[in-house]
Amino acid sequence: MVDLNPYVDRILRNIAPVELAGSESSEKIPCIVIEQYDNRTAVVLEGEEFLSDICMQIDVYGRTPEERSLIAGEVSETMTAHGFIRTAGKPMGSQRFTMTFRVRVNETNYHFHQ
């Protein structure tokens, strides 16, 4: 089983600070909150997990609706550029924008498939 949280943190941290959902840190705005909410085996070869389907939720927080939407757009573009497929996205009030993404990962070398 592969944990993509460190990878997603690395690719998004230049946009805004990244926090794990449920962490004990005091989140500051703007920020990006990530959560890997589904991680299931897609293919097993010779008794070893080979492909995994992973789903992530990313919540973007901005001080204004404009900042929130700008950051959400950058996050969506970055995730898509790294092989993720956005499955949903919508504003949740004036400061929060929620998106979900999915990706299929080869566990041997973390190669991303669409």
Side-chain angles (χ1 to χ4, degrees):
M1 181 169 79
V2 62
D3 176 9
L4 289 185
N5 285 334
Y7 178 79
V8 172
D9 173 38
R10 198 167 42 256
I11 67 173
L12 296 180
R13 73 171 65 150
N14 290 332
I15 299 170
V18 177
E19 302 286 340
L20 287 176
S23 68
E24 297 297 321
S25 68
S26 57
E27 298 159 356
K28 293 180 175 57
I29 294 178
C31 72
I32 300 165
V33 178
I34 63 174
E35 179 178 10
Q36 185 174 286
Y37 68 86
D38 192 20
N39 185 330
R40 61 183 72 194
T41 302
V43 175
V44 175
L45 293 175
E46 298 178 4
E48 298 288 327
E49 291 184 21
F50 182 70
L51 292 177
S52 290
D53 289 328
I54 298 173
C55 296
M56 301 203 67
Q57 178 171 321
I58 299 180
D59 293 318
V60 171
Y61 293 87
R63 290 179 286 266
T64 65
E66 294 79 17
E67 181 180 54
R68 172 211 67 196
S69 294
L70 179 67
I71 294 170
E74 290 182 52
V75 167
S76 184
E77 288 176 16
T78 301
M79 294 293 284
T80 301
H82 286 87
F84 290 79
I85 296 170
R86 187 170 42 80
T87 55
K90 70 178 189 174
M92 304 287 287
S94 63
Q95 291 188 311
R96 178 179 169 204
F97 197 100
T98 296
M99 294 173 280
T100 55
F101 295 87
R102 70 174 171 81
V103 70
R104 178 166 279 181
V105 180
N106 173 323
E107 301 228 2
T108 322
N109 58 12
Y110 306 116
H111 179 76
F112 295 81
H113 305 271
Q114 291 190 29

